[in-house]
């Protein structure tokens, strides 16, 4: 299967999950708006969700996949099974201790890490603690799910691991639907949601476990032992965990700062959900597929092949994220209004969330490029260099967020996150280039400039059309008319961008055809 086809397999499954995520956030906005209970739930959910994104979207794979692939190559499926059981025994035991410890320490975690701004409000603080205790075991489920997902990806079974996250959105939508149907108050709705998160973690773990069984490996539980393989995994995994969660770490910092203003946490979450669609569909797919492909090429000694994989992945990311960033910037008000402005979500909420979304749009290509650049380090078993860059970007994000929040409120936090993301991208790219692990191509530079121009042309068309059709995008119009008009804008924008990109040389059919038909050499 070609590189692009693998991207499409993982990206397609992720797209389905993110579409359900949109539906979930729409129900959430209608039920809770940006009120205090929405802030409480998102604050409580952010902590376990940090680990979901950190592990499930690449950090654990960064350490586990190269070692698992090496075991398959050296000792076959039996060796890989033995290695997996060693890791599973240690991981399960450590996670159980961490989960219990975190639940017992939850009041302190909420006070000092999750939402310091809630301390003066006893009711909000108490509810946040209780909801977080219910949802924290989700971390354990998702960490084990991530390990099995890494096994599936290494065995070229991408779909089960990519489709598993959809169950979180389905169960949360079910909880929200039940709450709206029964007329539950916001606090009870938050309780329904927290238990649905825990149930989803168990269901996702069951899905990938069955996928691993179907792939031919049956994992048994082994007594935890600190073997050389486990030691090597931990040496690689700890820096990768910090690095892979950079965006989420920055968001957690932003949440802690934003907890001082009512409605700020939920406003950031609603905007985050929108840009997570292209980030998930493109960035996560590229990161998951590229790592085992790079690792295989490097182990086979195909250095030219590895360089080509890296550059084509960057090209693929820019080809899809530059127009997405332009569209998010131009249509931020329309997107938020159509998706969220109903029920408890007001016109004032739309203005705030749209401003945040526009800023996230600027950061989008940088966030996604991080996913395409980090495998260049991980495939060479270097997890410390990206971790150092992560620390730099976290420090920058913290300083900017503290400085800008008093001036620009929620938008200041979004600016800090976008700046930190681009800083990390530049550092990753520069050092790969300096080490010779990234092949410099003038063609890539010139195509990137042409893609930026094509995105600008598309943005101009969207500005013109959205102004002409503004009445159909207002809340006074029916939901069907609003959604249809927004969809029509997107449908028109796509051929405008693609036609311009191909016309001015930002992309060519030969390049796409070669990538689709290309077979890996190792």
């Amino acid at each position: 299967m070609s590189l692009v086809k693998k991207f499409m397999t993982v990206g397609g499954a992720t797209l389905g999950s993110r579409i359900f995520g949109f539906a979930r956030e729409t129900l959430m906005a209608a039920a809770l708006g940006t009120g205090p209970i929405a802030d409480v739930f998102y604050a409580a959910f952010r902590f376990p969700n940090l680990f979901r994104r950190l592990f499930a979207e690449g950090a654990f794979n960064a350490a586990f996949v190269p070692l698992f692939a090496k075991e398959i190559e050296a000792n076959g499926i039996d060796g890989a099974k033995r290695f997996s059981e060693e890791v599973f025994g240690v991981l399960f035991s450590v996670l159980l201790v961490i989960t219990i410890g975190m639940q017992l320490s939850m009041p302190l975690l909420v006070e000092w890490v999750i939402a310091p701004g809630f301390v003066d409000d006893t009711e909000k603080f108490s509810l946040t603690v209780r909801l977080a205790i219910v949802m924290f075991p989700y971390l354990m489920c998702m960490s084990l799910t991530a390990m099995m997902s890494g096994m599936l990806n290494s065995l070229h079974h991408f779909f089960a691991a990519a489709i598993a996250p959809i169950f979180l959105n389905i169960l949360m939508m079910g909880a929200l639907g039940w709450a709206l149907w029964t007329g539950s108050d916001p606090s009870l709705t938050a309780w329904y949601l927290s238990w649905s998160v825990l149930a989803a973690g168990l269901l996702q773990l069951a899905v990938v476990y069955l996928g691993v069984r179907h792939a031919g490996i049956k994992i048994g539980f082994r007594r935890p032992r600190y073997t050389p393989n486990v030691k090597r995994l931990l040496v690689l995994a700890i820096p990768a965990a910090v690095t892979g969660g950079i965006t989420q770490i920055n968001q957690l910092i932003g949440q802690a700062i934003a907890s001082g203003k009512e409605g700020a946490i939920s406003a950031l979450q609603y905007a985050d959900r929108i840009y997570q669609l292209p980030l998930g569909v493109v960035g996560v797919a590229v990161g998951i597929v590229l790592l085992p492909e790079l690792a295989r090429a490097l182990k086979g000694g195909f250095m030219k092949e590895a360089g080509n994989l890296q550059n084509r992945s960057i090209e693929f990311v820019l080809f899809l994220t530059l127009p997405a960033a332009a569209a998010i910037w131009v249509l931020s008000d329309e997107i938020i209004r159509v998706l969220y402005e109903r029920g408890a979500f007001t016109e004032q909420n739309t203005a705030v969330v749209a401003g945040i979304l526009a800023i996230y749009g600027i950061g989008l290509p940088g966030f996604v490029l991080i996913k395409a650049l980090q495998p260049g380090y991980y495939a060479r078993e270097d997890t410390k260099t990206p971790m150092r860059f992560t620390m730099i970007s976290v420090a920058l994000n913290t300083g900017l967020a503290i400085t800008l929040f008093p001036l620009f409120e929620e938008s200041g936090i979004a600016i800090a996150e976008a700046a930190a993301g681009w800083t990390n991208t530049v550092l990753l790219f520069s050092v790969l280039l300096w080490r010779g692990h990234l092949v410099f191509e003038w063609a890539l530079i010139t195509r990137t400039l042409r893609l930026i121009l094509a995105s600008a042309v598309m943005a101009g068309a969207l500005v013109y059309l959205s102004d002409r059709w503004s009445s159909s995008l207002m809340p006074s119009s029916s939901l069907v008319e609003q959604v249809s008009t927004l969809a029509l804008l997107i449908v028109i924008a796509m051929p405008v961008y693609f036609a311009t990109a191909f016309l001015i040389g930002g992309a060519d059919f030969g390049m796409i055809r070669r990538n689709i038909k290309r077979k890996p050499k190792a």
Side-chain angles (χ1 to χ4, degrees):
M1 185 185 290
S2 74
L3 189 65
V4 171
K5 286 182 179 177
K6 289 174 182 176
F7 289 161
M8 292 171 66
T9 299
V10 178
T14 307
L15 175 62
S17 175
R18 298 302 164 105
I19 288 173
F20 275 95
F22 277 134
R24 180 191 90 196
E25 293 300 324
T26 300
L27 287 172
M28 182 77 79
L32 302 177
T34 59
I37 299 301
D39 279 354
V40 165
F41 174 77
Y42 282 125
F45 186 42
R46 175 72 75 186
F47 206 50
N49 200 40
L50 162 68
F51 291 94
R52 176 187 72 84
R53 288 180 176 172
L54 188 157
F55 282 99
E57 296 183 359
F60 189 87
N61 283 348
F64 181 79
V65 168
L67 298 179
F68 185 79
K70 189 182 293 184
E71 280 294 323
I72 292 178
E73 189 174 318
N75 302 306
I77 293 295
D78 289 339
K81 176 179 181 294
R82 183 170 58 252
F83 171 60
S84 301
E85 290 179 340
E86 290 175 358
V87 173
F88 185 86
V90 172
L91 191 61
F92 180 88
S93 303
V94 170
L95 287 170
L96 184 62
V97 172
I98 290 174
T99 299
I100 294 171
M102 288 288 191
Q103 287 180 304
L104 293 174
S105 306
M106 197 57 69
L108 290 174
L109 288 172
V110 172
E111 180 178 355
W112 293 102
V113 179
I114 298 175
F118 291 179
V119 174
D120 295 332
D121 189 325
T122 305
E123 187 176 346
K124 286 175 70 173
F125 181 84
S126 175
L127 184 57
T128 304
V129 169
R130 286 179 284 147
L131 293 180
I133 288 172
V134 170
M135 289 188 283
F136 199 82
Y138 183 66
L139 156 64
M140 185 171 182
C141 295
M142 292 314 301
S143 300
L144 297 172
T145 297
M147 175 195 152
M148 295 186 194
S149 297
M151 295 171 64
L152 289 169
N153 294 334
S154 297
L155 296 167
H156 302 291
H157 291 258
F158 295 104
F159 189 73
I163 202 70
I166 201 171
F167 295 104
L168 172 67
N169 293 319
I170 290 174
L171 290 184
M172 289 183 73
M173 286 170 60
L176 282 166
W178 174 258
L180 288 169
W181 187 60
T182 58
S184 302
D185 63 67
S187 296
L188 186 56
T189 300
W191 274 109
Y192 291 155
L193 285 168
S194 62
W195 284 105
S196 72
V197 169
L198 179 57
L202 295 170
L203 183 56
Q204 287 173 259
L205 180 57
V207 168
V208 293
Y209 176 75
L210 292 174
V212 169
R213 290 283 298 266
H214 179 72
I217 297 181
K218 182 180 179 181
I219 299 178
F221 183 82
R222 290 192 177 206
R223 180 174 60 84
R225 293 175 57 240
Y226 192 60
T227 64
N229 276 333
V230 171
K231 179 180 178 180
R232 181 61 180 158
L233 177 69
L234 293 176
V235 168
L236 294 174
I238 292 173
V242 175
T243 306
I246 174 59
T247 302
Q248 289 70 47
I249 292 168
N250 284 333
Q251 287 175 346
L252 187 64
I253 293 168
Q255 172 184 287
I257 296 169
S259 64
K261 180 194 172 188
E262 186 170 301
I265 292 176
S266 48
L268 288 163
Q269 171 64 28
Y270 289 131
D272 174 76
R273 171 53 58 182
I274 306 297
Y275 93 87
Q276 283 292 331
L277 175 64
L279 176 59
V281 173
V282 182
V284 175
V286 169
I288 287 174
V289 173
L290 182 59
L291 177 58
E293 292 290 316
L294 271 179
R296 190 173 298 108
L298 290 170
K299 284 181 175 62
F302 296 97
M303 309 308 291
K304 186 176 179 180
E305 173 76 2
N308 183 61
L309 282 167
Q310 187 77 73
N311 279 7
R312 298 294 71 78
S313 298
I314 293 171
E315 198 169 67
F316 179 77
V317 163
L318 292 172
F319 181 63
L320 295 181
T321 58
L322 288 173
I328 287 173
W329 174 263
V330 170
L331 295 178
S332 57
D333 284 292
E334 289 80 2
I335 291 170
I336 298 301
R337 186 180 301 118
V338 171
L339 291 179
Y340 296 142
E341 195 175 311
R342 60 190 57 85
F345 201 95
T346 66
E347 184 179 351
Q348 290 73 25
N349 297 149
T350 294
V352 171
V353 177
I356 297 169
L357 178 60
I359 296 166
Y360 279 154
I362 296 173
L364 175 63
F367 295 140
V368 181
L369 280 170
I370 290 171
K371 302 286 186 181
L373 293 169
Q374 285 176 344
Y377 295 88
Y378 296 152
R380 295 171 173 88
E381 298 187 14
D382 176 10
T383 57
K384 290 183 179 178
T385 301
M387 184 185 69
R388 294 187 186 104
F389 298 156
T390 295
M391 295 301 186
I392 293 170
S393 62
V394 166
L396 177 64
N397 174 69
T398 304
L400 285 176
I402 292 171
T403 303
L404 297 177
F405 184 65
L407 300 174
F408 304 109
E409 299 180 324
E410 302 95 329
S411 295
I413 291 173
I415 293 169
E417 290 178 14
W422 273 111
T423 299
N424 198 22
T425 299
V426 171
L427 290 171
L428 289 167
F429 181 88
S430 301
V431 172
L432 278 178
L433 194 62
W434 176 64
R435 290 178 175 176
H437 297 159
L438 191 65
V439 181
F440 182 81
E441 294 180 353
W442 273 112
L444 179 60
I445 302 298
T446 57
R447 273 197 291 267
T448 299
L449 295 174
R450 291 180 179 126
L451 290 175
I452 292 172
L453 179 58
S455 300
V457 171
M458 180 205 71
L462 285 174
V463 169
Y464 173 77
L465 291 174
S466 61
D467 184 60
R468 291 285 302 270
W469 299 341
S470 59
S471 60
S472 298
L473 294 164
M474 300 301 290
S476 55
S477 301
S478 68
L479 179 60
V480 171
E481 185 178 358
Q482 291 179 60
V483 172
S484 300
T485 304
L486 183 60
L488 183 58
L489 283 171
I490 295 170
V491 167
I492 292 173
M494 290 172 63
V496 169
Y497 169 73
F498 289 125
T500 306
F502 284 109
L503 184 65
I504 65 177
D508 64 81
F509 289 107
M511 175 192 73
I512 293 176
R513 187 164 54 249
R514 285 192 300 273
N515 276 294
I516 291 176
K517 292 182 178 180
R518 187 191 63 79
K519 301 293 182 184
K521 294 180 183 178

